Amino acid sequence: MTIQTAKLSDPAVRAFVNAVNSHDREGFMMLLAPGATMSDDGSDRDLADWVDREIFSSRGHLQVDNESNGGRSLVARYRNDTWGEMRTRWNFTVDDDGRITRFETWQA
């Protein structure tokens, strides 16, 4: 069952999914705290390089199936032009200002 993006519980995560799905790179980057980090399949990656390659140059799209941890953990179908569609998990760390300090993704 898909959760509509507008119904996601955490405002920062909701904005993240909206930015990915609308291909809004500038809006996406504004959601991140200075020095934000990320990992993919358990390995830390260069955030700017990963975001360009896996989301924006390959037209990434998130379809959320489930959320937990107050909306900061997602199970979603993620697709892009490079890899096609896969079932993924996402965890977000959000600071007191509502900006994402870290996100982690891996195949579910």
Side-chain angles (χ1 to χ4, degrees), residues 77-100:
R77 284 169 282 167
Y78 184 73
R79 72 172 183 271
N80 66 25
D81 290 347
T82 304
W83 305 107
E85 184 175 297
M86 64 191 84
R87 191 167 162 83
T88 57
R89 292 187 181 274
W90 298 74
N91 279 343
F92 297 87
T93 305
V94 180
D95 68 15
D96 292 340
D97 294 331
R99 295 177 80 191
I100 296 167

PDB file of all heavy atoms in Angstrom, residues 77-100:
ATOM      1  N   ARG A  77       9.608   1.988  -2.754  1.00  0.00           N
ATOM      2  CA  ARG A  77      10.085   1.554  -4.062  1.00  0.00           C
ATOM      3  C   ARG A  77      10.789   2.753  -4.671  1.00  0.00           C
ATOM      4  O   ARG A  77      10.191   3.812  -4.820  1.00  0.00           O
ATOM      5  CB  ARG A  77       8.923   1.084  -4.921  1.00  0.00           C
ATOM      6  CG  ARG A  77       8.446  -0.311  -4.494  1.00  0.00           C
ATOM      7  CD  ARG A  77       7.155  -0.679  -5.138  1.00  0.00           C
ATOM      8  NE  ARG A  77       6.093   0.031  -4.408  1.00  0.00           N
ATOM      9  CZ  ARG A  77       4.853   0.149  -4.821  1.00  0.00           C
ATOM     10  NH1 ARG A  77       4.493  -0.343  -5.983  1.00  0.00           N
ATOM     11  NH2 ARG A  77       3.965   0.790  -4.103  1.00  0.00           N
ATOM     12  N   TYR A  78      12.071   2.560  -4.966  1.00  0.00           N
ATOM     13  CA  TYR A  78      12.867   3.635  -5.549  1.00  0.00           C
ATOM     14  C   TYR A  78      13.225   3.229  -6.965  1.00  0.00           C
ATOM     15  O   TYR A  78      13.621   2.097  -7.211  1.00  0.00           O
ATOM     16  CB  TYR A  78      14.149   3.875  -4.742  1.00  0.00           C
ATOM     17  CG  TYR A  78      14.925   5.047  -5.276  1.00  0.00           C
ATOM     18  CD1 TYR A  78      14.472   6.338  -5.064  1.00  0.00           C
ATOM     19  CD2 TYR A  78      16.064   4.863  -6.043  1.00  0.00           C
ATOM     20  CE1 TYR A  78      15.144   7.425  -5.591  1.00  0.00           C
ATOM     21  CE2 TYR A  78      16.740   5.941  -6.571  1.00  0.00           C
ATOM     22  CZ  TYR A  78      16.274   7.216  -6.339  1.00  0.00           C
ATOM     23  OH  TYR A  78      16.942   8.296  -6.871  1.00  0.00           O
ATOM     24  N   ARG A  79      13.056   4.166  -7.881  1.00  0.00           N
ATOM     25  CA  ARG A  79      13.456   3.861  -9.254  1.00  0.00           C
ATOM     26  C   ARG A  79      14.229   5.046  -9.821  1.00  0.00           C
ATOM     27  O   ARG A  79      13.998   6.192  -9.455  1.00  0.00           O
ATOM     28  CB  ARG A  79      12.253   3.516 -10.123  1.00  0.00           C
ATOM     29  CG  ARG A  79      11.357   4.657 -10.468  1.00  0.00           C
ATOM     30  CD  ARG A  79      10.285   4.226 -11.500  1.00  0.00           C
ATOM     31  NE  ARG A  79       9.491   5.369 -11.865  1.00  0.00           N
ATOM     32  CZ  ARG A  79       8.390   5.765 -11.245  1.00  0.00           C
ATOM     33  NH1 ARG A  79       7.946   5.106 -10.209  1.00  0.00           N
ATOM     34  NH2 ARG A  79       7.731   6.823 -11.664  1.00  0.00           N
ATOM     35  N   ASN A  80      15.154   4.708 -10.708  1.00  0.00           N
ATOM     36  CA  ASN A  80      15.822   5.737 -11.501  1.00  0.00           C
ATOM     37  C   ASN A  80      16.178   5.138 -12.852  1.00  0.00           C
ATOM     38  O   ASN A  80      15.985   3.936 -13.079  1.00  0.00           O
ATOM     39  CB  ASN A  80      17.033   6.343 -10.763  1.00  0.00           C
ATOM     40  CG  ASN A  80      18.170   5.374 -10.538  1.00  0.00           C
ATOM     41  OD1 ASN A  80      18.343   4.386 -11.255  1.00  0.00           O
ATOM     42  ND2 ASN A  80      18.973   5.647  -9.522  1.00  0.00           N
ATOM     43  N   ASP A  81      16.652   5.982 -13.746  1.00  0.00           N
ATOM     44  CA  ASP A  81      16.928   5.536 -15.109  1.00  0.00           C
ATOM     45  C   ASP A  81      18.142   4.607 -15.182  1.00  0.00           C
ATOM     46  O   ASP A  81      18.320   3.911 -16.179  1.00  0.00           O
ATOM     47  CB  ASP A  81      17.146   6.739 -16.031  1.00  0.00           C
ATOM     48  CG  ASP A  81      15.857   7.512 -16.281  1.00  0.00           C
ATOM     49  OD1 ASP A  81      14.764   6.999 -15.953  1.00  0.00           O
ATOM     50  OD2 ASP A  81      15.942   8.648 -16.798  1.00  0.00           O
ATOM     51  N   THR A  82      18.977   4.589 -14.148  1.00  0.00           N
ATOM     52  CA  THR A  82      20.168   3.750 -14.148  1.00  0.00           C
ATOM     53  C   THR A  82      19.865   2.335 -13.702  1.00  0.00           C
ATOM     54  O   THR A  82      20.258   1.365 -14.346  1.00  0.00           O
ATOM     55  CB  THR A  82      21.248   4.353 -13.216  1.00  0.00           C
ATOM     56  OG1 THR A  82      21.510   5.690 -13.635  1.00  0.00           O
ATOM     57  CG2 THR A  82      22.531   3.541 -13.255  1.00  0.00           C
ATOM     58  N   TRP A  83      19.145   2.186 -12.591  1.00  0.00           N
ATOM     59  CA  TRP A  83      18.968   0.879 -11.959  1.00  0.00           C
ATOM     60  C   TRP A  83      17.570   0.306 -12.091  1.00  0.00           C
ATOM     61  O   TRP A  83      17.334  -0.817 -11.661  1.00  0.00           O
ATOM     62  CB  TRP A  83      19.322   0.975 -10.469  1.00  0.00           C
ATOM     63  CG  TRP A  83      20.678   1.506 -10.217  1.00  0.00           C
ATOM     64  CD1 TRP A  83      21.000   2.743  -9.726  1.00  0.00           C
ATOM     65  CD2 TRP A  83      21.932   0.852 -10.456  1.00  0.00           C
ATOM     66  NE1 TRP A  83      22.360   2.889  -9.640  1.00  0.00           N
ATOM     67  CE2 TRP A  83      22.962   1.743 -10.092  1.00  0.00           C
ATOM     68  CE3 TRP A  83      22.270  -0.401 -10.956  1.00  0.00           C
ATOM     69  CZ2 TRP A  83      24.299   1.417 -10.204  1.00  0.00           C
ATOM     70  CZ3 TRP A  83      23.619  -0.719 -11.068  1.00  0.00           C
ATOM     71  CH2 TRP A  83      24.613   0.181 -10.695  1.00  0.00           C
ATOM     72  N   GLY A  84      16.620   1.073 -12.614  1.00  0.00           N
ATOM     73  CA  GLY A  84      15.241   0.588 -12.629  1.00  0.00           C
ATOM     74  C   GLY A  84      14.638   0.731 -11.231  1.00  0.00           C
ATOM     75  O   GLY A  84      15.014   1.622 -10.477  1.00  0.00           O
ATOM     76  N   GLU A  85      13.718  -0.179 -10.882  1.00  0.00           N
ATOM     77  CA  GLU A  85      13.026  -0.069  -9.593  1.00  0.00           C
ATOM     78  C   GLU A  85      13.524  -1.118  -8.615  1.00  0.00           C
ATOM     79  O   GLU A  85      13.770  -2.262  -8.992  1.00  0.00           O
ATOM     80  CB  GLU A  85      11.515  -0.233  -9.784  1.00  0.00           C
ATOM     81  CG  GLU A  85      10.739  -0.026  -8.495  1.00  0.00           C
ATOM     82  CD  GLU A  85       9.239  -0.057  -8.695  1.00  0.00           C
ATOM     83  OE1 GLU A  85       8.722   0.831  -9.417  1.00  0.00           O
ATOM     84  OE2 GLU A  85       8.586  -0.967  -8.149  1.00  0.00           O
ATOM     85  N   MET A  86      13.677  -0.712  -7.357  1.00  0.00           N
ATOM     86  CA  MET A  86      14.058  -1.648  -6.307  1.00  0.00           C
ATOM     87  C   MET A  86      13.373  -1.254  -5.003  1.00  0.00           C
ATOM     88  O   MET A  86      13.025  -0.084  -4.799  1.00  0.00           O
ATOM     89  CB  MET A  86      15.569  -1.704  -6.133  1.00  0.00           C
ATOM     90  CG  MET A  86      16.203  -0.401  -5.673  1.00  0.00           C
ATOM     91  SD  MET A  86      17.999  -0.426  -5.798  1.00  0.00           S
ATOM     92  CE  MET A  86      18.203   0.016  -7.518  1.00  0.00           C
ATOM     93  N   ARG A  87      13.185  -2.235  -4.143  1.00  0.00           N
ATOM     94  CA  ARG A  87      12.618  -1.989  -2.825  1.00  0.00           C
ATOM     95  C   ARG A  87      13.758  -1.523  -1.918  1.00  0.00           C
ATOM     96  O   ARG A  87      14.804  -2.184  -1.850  1.00  0.00           O
ATOM     97  CB  ARG A  87      11.982  -3.277  -2.308  1.00  0.00           C
ATOM     98  CG  ARG A  87      11.140  -3.101  -1.085  1.00  0.00           C
ATOM     99  CD  ARG A  87      10.312  -4.378  -0.873  1.00  0.00           C
ATOM    100  NE  ARG A  87       9.806  -4.452   0.473  1.00  0.00           N
ATOM    101  CZ  ARG A  87       8.699  -3.850   0.893  1.00  0.00           C
ATOM    102  NH1 ARG A  87       7.986  -3.133   0.043  1.00  0.00           N
ATOM    103  NH2 ARG A  87       8.304  -3.975   2.144  1.00  0.00           N
ATOM    104  N   THR A  88      13.559  -0.399  -1.253  1.00  0.00           N
ATOM    105  CA  THR A  88      14.628   0.215  -0.462  1.00  0.00           C
ATOM    106  C   THR A  88      14.128   0.610   0.921  1.00  0.00           C
ATOM    107  O   THR A  88      12.924   0.772   1.149  1.00  0.00           O
ATOM    108  CB  THR A  88      15.171   1.480  -1.164  1.00  0.00           C
ATOM    109  OG1 THR A  88      14.076   2.381  -1.382  1.00  0.00           O
ATOM    110  CG2 THR A  88      15.832   1.150  -2.489  1.00  0.00           C
ATOM    111  N   ARG A  89      15.065   0.785   1.818  1.00  0.00           N
ATOM    112  CA  ARG A  89      14.808   1.364   3.140  1.00  0.00           C
ATOM    113  C   ARG A  89      15.583   2.665   3.247  1.00  0.00           C
ATOM    114  O   ARG A  89      16.681   2.786   2.696  1.00  0.00           O
ATOM    115  CB  ARG A  89      15.266   0.417   4.253  1.00  0.00           C
ATOM    116  CG  ARG A  89      14.454  -0.846   4.342  1.00  0.00           C
ATOM    117  CD  ARG A  89      14.845  -1.670   5.574  1.00  0.00           C
ATOM    118  NE  ARG A  89      14.066  -2.876   5.630  1.00  0.00           N
ATOM    119  CZ  ARG A  89      12.863  -2.974   6.189  1.00  0.00           C
ATOM    120  NH1 ARG A  89      12.312  -1.916   6.748  1.00  0.00           N
ATOM    121  NH2 ARG A  89      12.207  -4.109   6.189  1.00  0.00           N
ATOM    122  N   TRP A  90      15.020   3.612   3.969  1.00  0.00           N
ATOM    123  CA  TRP A  90      15.627   4.924   4.171  1.00  0.00           C
ATOM    124  C   TRP A  90      15.486   5.295   5.645  1.00  0.00           C
ATOM    125  O   TRP A  90      14.397   5.159   6.208  1.00  0.00           O
ATOM    126  CB  TRP A  90      14.910   5.995   3.335  1.00  0.00           C
ATOM    127  CG  TRP A  90      14.969   5.765   1.858  1.00  0.00           C
ATOM    128  CD1 TRP A  90      14.278   4.831   1.139  1.00  0.00           C
ATOM    129  CD2 TRP A  90      15.770   6.471   0.917  1.00  0.00           C
ATOM    130  NE1 TRP A  90      14.601   4.925  -0.189  1.00  0.00           N
ATOM    131  CE2 TRP A  90      15.513   5.922  -0.354  1.00  0.00           C
ATOM    132  CE3 TRP A  90      16.677   7.531   1.017  1.00  0.00           C
ATOM    133  CZ2 TRP A  90      16.133   6.386  -1.507  1.00  0.00           C
ATOM    134  CZ3 TRP A  90      17.290   8.000  -0.131  1.00  0.00           C
ATOM    135  CH2 TRP A  90      17.019   7.425  -1.380  1.00  0.00           C
ATOM    136  N   ASN A  91      16.563   5.767   6.249  1.00  0.00           N
ATOM    137  CA  ASN A  91      16.530   6.322   7.606  1.00  0.00           C
ATOM    138  C   ASN A  91      17.045   7.748   7.551  1.00  0.00           C
ATOM    139  O   ASN A  91      18.035   8.022   6.859  1.00  0.00           O
ATOM    140  CB  ASN A  91      17.421   5.517   8.562  1.00  0.00           C
ATOM    141  CG  ASN A  91      16.751   4.261   9.058  1.00  0.00           C
ATOM    142  OD1 ASN A  91      15.539   4.108   8.976  1.00  0.00           O
ATOM    143  ND2 ASN A  91      17.550   3.348   9.576  1.00  0.00           N
ATOM    144  N   PHE A  92      16.393   8.624   8.297  1.00  0.00           N
ATOM    145  CA  PHE A  92      16.744  10.042   8.311  1.00  0.00           C
ATOM    146  C   PHE A  92      17.042  10.494   9.728  1.00  0.00           C
ATOM    147  O   PHE A  92      16.333  10.122  10.668  1.00  0.00           O
ATOM    148  CB  PHE A  92      15.584  10.887   7.762  1.00  0.00           C
ATOM    149  CG  PHE A  92      15.268  10.592   6.327  1.00  0.00           C
ATOM    150  CD1 PHE A  92      14.389   9.577   5.986  1.00  0.00           C
ATOM    151  CD2 PHE A  92      15.860  11.319   5.309  1.00  0.00           C
ATOM    152  CE1 PHE A  92      14.091   9.289   4.664  1.00  0.00           C
ATOM    153  CE2 PHE A  92      15.582  11.042   3.976  1.00  0.00           C
ATOM    154  CZ  PHE A  92      14.696  10.027   3.656  1.00  0.00           C
ATOM    155  N   THR A  93      18.075  11.327   9.873  1.00  0.00           N
ATOM    156  CA  THR A  93      18.363  12.022  11.121  1.00  0.00           C
ATOM    157  C   THR A  93      18.093  13.494  10.857  1.00  0.00           C
ATOM    158  O   THR A  93      18.621  14.059   9.886  1.00  0.00           O
ATOM    159  CB  THR A  93      19.832  11.811  11.550  1.00  0.00           C
ATOM    160  OG1 THR A  93      20.077  10.403  11.620  1.00  0.00           O
ATOM    161  CG2 THR A  93      20.101  12.449  12.905  1.00  0.00           C
ATOM    162  N   VAL A  94      17.255  14.105  11.684  1.00  0.00           N
ATOM    163  CA  VAL A  94      16.825  15.491  11.480  1.00  0.00           C
ATOM    164  C   VAL A  94      17.206  16.293  12.714  1.00  0.00           C
ATOM    165  O   VAL A  94      16.966  15.868  13.850  1.00  0.00           O
ATOM    166  CB  VAL A  94      15.298  15.547  11.237  1.00  0.00           C
ATOM    167  CG1 VAL A  94      14.836  16.977  11.015  1.00  0.00           C
ATOM    168  CG2 VAL A  94      14.908  14.665  10.051  1.00  0.00           C
ATOM    169  N   ASP A  95      17.810  17.472  12.506  1.00  0.00           N
ATOM    170  CA  ASP A  95      18.221  18.298  13.643  1.00  0.00           C
ATOM    171  C   ASP A  95      17.057  19.125  14.191  1.00  0.00           C
ATOM    172  O   ASP A  95      15.936  19.071  13.659  1.00  0.00           O
ATOM    173  CB  ASP A  95      19.433  19.175  13.290  1.00  0.00           C
ATOM    174  CG  ASP A  95      19.145  20.267  12.273  1.00  0.00           C
ATOM    175  OD1 ASP A  95      17.952  20.583  12.009  1.00  0.00           O
ATOM    176  OD2 ASP A  95      20.112  20.836  11.730  1.00  0.00           O
ATOM    177  N   ASP A  96      17.321  19.867  15.242  1.00  0.00           N
ATOM    178  CA  ASP A  96      16.276  20.660  15.904  1.00  0.00           C
ATOM    179  C   ASP A  96      15.692  21.739  14.996  1.00  0.00           C
ATOM    180  O   ASP A  96      14.592  22.221  15.240  1.00  0.00           O
ATOM    181  CB  ASP A  96      16.814  21.311  17.183  1.00  0.00           C
ATOM    182  CG  ASP A  96      17.129  20.277  18.252  1.00  0.00           C
ATOM    183  OD1 ASP A  96      16.604  19.150  18.173  1.00  0.00           O
ATOM    184  OD2 ASP A  96      17.908  20.596  19.167  1.00  0.00           O
ATOM    185  N   ASP A  97      16.442  22.133  13.968  1.00  0.00           N
ATOM    186  CA  ASP A  97      15.958  23.144  13.021  1.00  0.00           C
ATOM    187  C   ASP A  97      15.134  22.524  11.894  1.00  0.00           C
ATOM    188  O   ASP A  97      14.707  23.229  10.982  1.00  0.00           O
ATOM    189  CB  ASP A  97      17.136  23.917  12.411  1.00  0.00           C
ATOM    190  CG  ASP A  97      17.868  24.756  13.443  1.00  0.00           C
ATOM    191  OD1 ASP A  97      17.232  25.190  14.421  1.00  0.00           O
ATOM    192  OD2 ASP A  97      19.086  24.963  13.272  1.00  0.00           O
ATOM    193  N   GLY A  98      14.957  21.202  11.935  1.00  0.00           N
ATOM    194  CA  GLY A  98      14.171  20.537  10.905  1.00  0.00           C
ATOM    195  C   GLY A  98      14.932  20.257   9.626  1.00  0.00           C
ATOM    196  O   GLY A  98      14.330  20.006   8.584  1.00  0.00           O
ATOM    197  N   ARG A  99      16.276  20.292   9.708  1.00  0.00           N
ATOM    198  CA  ARG A  99      17.085  19.982   8.524  1.00  0.00           C
ATOM    199  C   ARG A  99      17.699  18.599   8.668  1.00  0.00           C
ATOM    200  O   ARG A  99      18.012  18.146   9.767  1.00  0.00           O
ATOM    201  CB  ARG A  99      18.163  21.045   8.330  1.00  0.00           C
ATOM    202  CG  ARG A  99      17.480  22.400   8.016  1.00  0.00           C
ATOM    203  CD  ARG A  99      18.455  23.518   7.878  1.00  0.00           C
ATOM    204  NE  ARG A  99      19.064  23.497   6.560  1.00  0.00           N
ATOM    205  CZ  ARG A  99      20.114  24.249   6.247  1.00  0.00           C
ATOM    206  NH1 ARG A  99      20.660  25.056   7.125  1.00  0.00           N
ATOM    207  NH2 ARG A  99      20.623  24.190   5.043  1.00  0.00           N
ATOM    208  N   ILE A 100      17.861  17.928   7.563  1.00  0.00           N
ATOM    209  CA  ILE A 100      18.380  16.563   7.554  1.00  0.00           C
ATOM    210  C   ILE A 100      19.897  16.603   7.696  1.00  0.00           C
ATOM    211  O   ILE A 100      20.588  17.236   6.898  1.00  0.00           O
ATOM    212  CB  ILE A 100      17.954  15.847   6.255  1.00  0.00           C
ATOM    213  CG1 ILE A 100      16.417  15.712   6.237  1.00  0.00           C
ATOM    214  CG2 ILE A 100      18.633  14.487   6.130  1.00  0.00           C
ATOM    215  CD1 ILE A 100      15.847  15.311   4.893  1.00  0.00           C
TER     216      ILE A 100
END
